[in-house]
Amino acid sequence: MTKVYEAVADAFVAEGTSHVFAMMGDANMHWMNAMAERGAALVEARHEGPGLTMADGWARATGRPGVASTTCGPGVTQLATALVCAARARTPLVVFAGEASLATPGDSQYLDQRKFADAVESGFVQVSTPSRAHAAVREAFHMARTTSRPVMVSAPMDVQQQEFTDPAPYVPSTDLVDTTPVPPAPQRVVEAADIIGRSERVVVLVGRGARTPEVAELVVELQNTTRALLATTLQAINWLRDRTPYHAGISGGYGTRTAHELMREADCLVVVGAGLSEYTTWFGRLYPAATVVHLDRAEQVVPGDGRPVDCYVRGDARLSLQDVLTVLDGRTAPGPGYHTPEVAERLRDAAVPQEPFHQEADRLDPREAVLTLDRVLPGAVPVVLGSGHQTDFGTMLFTRPREVVCNYGLFGAIGQAPLLTMGWSVGRGGRPTVVVEGDASFIMHLAEFDTACRYGWPVLVVVMNDEALGAEYHKSEAHGLSRDLSAIHSPDLGAVATALGGTGATVRTVTDLEKAVGEFLADPKPTVVDVRITREVMSVPFRRLWRGEDV
């Protein structure tokens, strides 16, 4: 006879589960064994939270729901930060969470998992009876796919061991999800085309929701037709940069001074697949006189600066852009718009630091380190950016066309990016991937570098190491507090990586950095490059925020 845990495993496999990122315990060990017997690859992490973040990276890489698992009680509570991060990133995940037996309510590891899931912004379903085994899994995957968030499947240990007798074949959630693209309302399309057609200074702003090949061609066509600037949100950093000389980079506080100046001249902002948060508009400082046209499939939302958009076109991005271009049919305002040699020249060097690099013995200027990485890393090698002050440099200075995964601003949690990178690399079939992270962030989940070594994942962790909590170091100065309290000595992380079974180097010069990256590219394997950087250079966003500098 089939046990409930086996029926649940059958359902996960039917939903397309090929990888499970997990840490084993009493309450999930039977299910994990069943998944292994059914051909799923089990990735054993050293900590439940990092395992879930790896599943998050896998889901972002594949476009399919990631799967993680944990045991009951503390195994579940260890997921808290990772679940909120995934929820804020709108990552579809399904977590098989073992639960204490319903028959023993006094179990020391009992937790009200439904309340926990609600608190960490996740969905929840329970396998409360044997007959719920298939329905619960289907409901969880349907919720993850349609709401783009993590969902917990809670399975009490005693229910897992009961017999499953439902003879009906499993119906996967994919059979119940309507993926037909939603067309926009024709009246809204005409409205949008009229606004765009009469505008002279158009900015086309694209977000992660538009980042597909078929949409890319339409975005470029709209940008060329309207002679517009092209800008991205933080989550679509560098997308289409190689398609036009009029790419302004990031819209918001991470944008360049040149981009800000040009964006303030806009009389029309066309937003495609982006939420238009307060960070994207830099709290209302950008696009002050622009009429806003918003194309998105979501329910209409009020932008972060509080102004309602002038025209909201709800529908599939590809269909909406196609219809707008058809109605426009070349009917645009006379004049060059932003497409002039002067604008192209200003944008070409906008991200290049104008100030000399800081000189300090045995320490690199973080700007020089990032520019070196951008130069020596081939465009085919993707880059993941973490959180924290040091990430500001990579966010603004990585400008070569390449795939960039940015985890900044999704909950402000440090330590997530190396874990995302590991899962992302697995999801892309073992593709060599680079992550740029700070020392405190990397050390927080150092044990998971052992996981990368055990599985031989080709990830390069570039640690921008200022031996401090960098953001707090600079904020302390702004608030008149002691900076020394945020300075924390760091071990030689290159040697630590080698001791864990990988490859490592600690570098203090550009030449050494070039050599270490070159060795990884020649033989991709788990590698840490500990880049010792100065604390004396404050990032542009911090200079704007804490010093009021116009840079």
Side-chain angles (χ1 to χ4, degrees):
M1 296 295 291
T2 300
K3 298 285 190 179
V4 168
Y5 70 82
E6 294 173 312
V8 171
D10 288 334
F12 269 81
V13 171
E15 291 287 352
T17 302
S18 60
H19 291 74
V20 178
F21 298 84
M23 188 169 185
M24 186 179 289
D26 288 347
N28 68 340
M29 61 192 300
H30 289 86
W31 177 82
M32 287 181 65
N33 273 266
M35 290 299 293
E37 289 171 355
R38 286 153 177 78
L42 299 186
V43 177
E44 290 271 13
R46 291 295 188 183
H47 186 288
E48 295 89 349
L52 190 139
T53 303
M54 292 176 197
D56 185 342
W58 186 94
R60 296 195 202 189
T62 63
R64 295 155 50 194
V67 174
S69 180
T70 183
T71 189
C72 58
V76 172
T77 57
Q78 297 276 37
L79 301 177
T81 298
L83 282 170
V84 177
C85 288
R88 299 290 174 87
R90 297 186 58 79
T91 304
L93 294 173
V94 177
V95 183
F96 178 86
E99 186 177 355
S101 296
L102 296 179
T104 54
D107 191 305
S108 64
Q109 292 192 328
Y110 169 76
L111 175 73
D112 188 330
Q113 293 188 0
R114 185 182 297 275
K115 288 183 179 179
F116 174 83
D118 184 60
V120 294
E121 305 174 11
S122 300
F124 179 87
V125 294
Q126 186 184 50
V127 185
S128 52
T129 64
S131 62
R132 282 276 294 158
H134 279 179
V137 176
R138 180 167 50 248
E139 182 182 343
F141 274 91
H142 184 274
M143 194 185 309
R145 286 187 162 106
T146 57
T147 65
S148 297
R149 63 170 173 155
V151 182
M152 288 176 54
V153 177
S154 182
M157 283 190 282
D158 51 349
V159 177
Q160 288 186 49
Q161 296 298 330
Q162 295 177 34
E163 292 182 1
F164 179 75
T165 57
D166 188 348
Y170 183 79
V171 178
S173 66
T174 48
D175 290 359
L176 309 176
V177 177
D178 184 1
T179 58
T180 305
V182 178
Q187 181 181 347
R188 291 288 189 174
V189 170
V190 171
E191 237 180 276
D194 285 346
I195 293 171
I196 297 168
R198 64 174 178 262
S199 301
E200 298 179 357
R201 304 284 274 184
V202 179
V203 174
V204 178
L205 172 62
V206 290
R208 186 175 60 173
R211 196 168 182 165
T212 62
E214 59 271 20
V215 174
E217 298 304 319
L218 296 169
V219 167
V220 172
E221 183 179 350
L222 178 63
Q223 187 249 347
N224 286 330
T225 298
T226 58
R227 300 173 296 282
L229 279 187
L230 182 60
T232 75
T233 65
L234 193 58
Q235 296 305 316
I237 179 174
N238 281 344
W239 189 48
L240 302 177
R241 187 177 280 277
D242 57 339
R243 300 295 298 274
T244 173
Y246 302 103
H247 197 296
I250 298 170
S251 176
Y254 291 94
T256 65
R257 179 178 180 178
T258 298
H260 288 174
E261 292 170 353
L262 292 169
M263 290 168 182
R264 291 190 186 105
E265 299 172 2
D267 60 1
C268 178
L269 175 65
V270 182
V271 185
V272 186
L276 205 58
S277 72
E278 63 270 27
Y279 301 107
T280 304
T281 62
W282 202 18
F283 299 91
R285 294 183 180 93
L286 306 179
Y287 319 109
T291 302
V292 180
V293 175
H294 195 169
L295 282 60
D296 204 289
R297 68 180 181 180
E299 295 283 354
Q300 184 170 353
V301 294
V302 177
D305 62 7
R307 294 183 301 163
V309 302
D310 298 280
C311 178
Y312 190 84
V313 182
R314 187 183 183 195
D316 175 77
R318 179 180 59 83
L319 296 180
S320 297
L321 283 169
Q322 281 178 343
D323 288 357
V324 168
L325 284 164
T326 298
V327 175
L328 266 178
D329 192 25
R331 295 183 293 107
T332 55
Y338 282 107
H339 289 200
T340 68
E342 178 196 4
V343 170
E345 184 178 354
R346 290 176 65 189
L347 289 172
R348 185 168 54 248
D349 298 323
V352 178
Q354 301 302 309
E355 302 160 330
F357 295 133
H358 178 79
Q359 302 298 317
E360 183 177 329
D362 293 329
R363 297 277 173 173
L364 278 169
D365 184 312
R367 297 168 297 180
E368 188 175 17
V370 169
L371 290 171
T372 300
L373 289 170
D374 199 33
R375 173 172 52 82
V376 301
L377 288 172
V381 176
V383 171
V384 179
L385 297 174
S387 298
H389 175 258
Q390 60 77 29
T391 304
D392 294 354
F393 299 104
T395 302
M396 295 193 70
L397 296 177
F398 275 111
T399 57
R400 283 187 63 184
R402 70 173 79 247
E403 190 166 15
V404 178
V405 180
C406 184
N407 199 49
Y408 208 103
L410 295 176
F411 187 44
I414 66 172
Q416 302 296 300
L419 314 172
L420 286 169
T421 306
M422 295 173 192
W424 201 96
S425 178
V426 174
R428 289 294 175 90
R431 183 178 180 184
T433 308
V434 177
V435 57
V436 181
E437 188 58 285
D439 48 305
S441 292
F442 176 63
I443 293 172
M444 179 177 287
H445 296 303
L446 178 62
E448 299 306 340
F449 187 73
D450 165 71
T451 303
C453 293
R454 276 185 285 118
Y455 292 103
W457 295 332
V459 293
L460 169 60
V461 184
V462 178
V463 182
M464 301 284 280
N465 192 348
D466 59 1
E467 294 194 278
L469 296 164
E472 286 66 32
Y473 184 85
H474 292 289
K475 289 176 187 176
S476 294
E477 177 188 31
H479 288 292
L481 305 174
S482 172
R483 297 188 301 180
D484 293 341
L485 296 178
S486 61
I488 306 173
H489 174 70
S490 169
D492 182 334
L493 296 176
V496 170
T498 302
L500 286 172
T503 298
T506 296
V507 305
R508 300 176 183 274
T509 67
V510 167
T511 300
D512 289 342
L513 177 57
E514 292 172 336
K515 179 175 181 291
V517 173
E519 290 174 352
F520 170 80
L521 295 173
D523 183 16
K525 53 189 173 183
T527 302
V528 174
V529 177
D530 182 352
V531 184
R532 296 302 170 118
I533 60 171
T534 180
R535 298 179 192 147
E536 300 307 309
V537 178
M538 184 184 285
S539 72
V540 166
F542 268 52
R543 289 169 65 182
R544 289 170 175 165
L545 182 62
W546 299 111
R547 292 179 179 172
E549 297 181 18
D550 184 17
V551 290

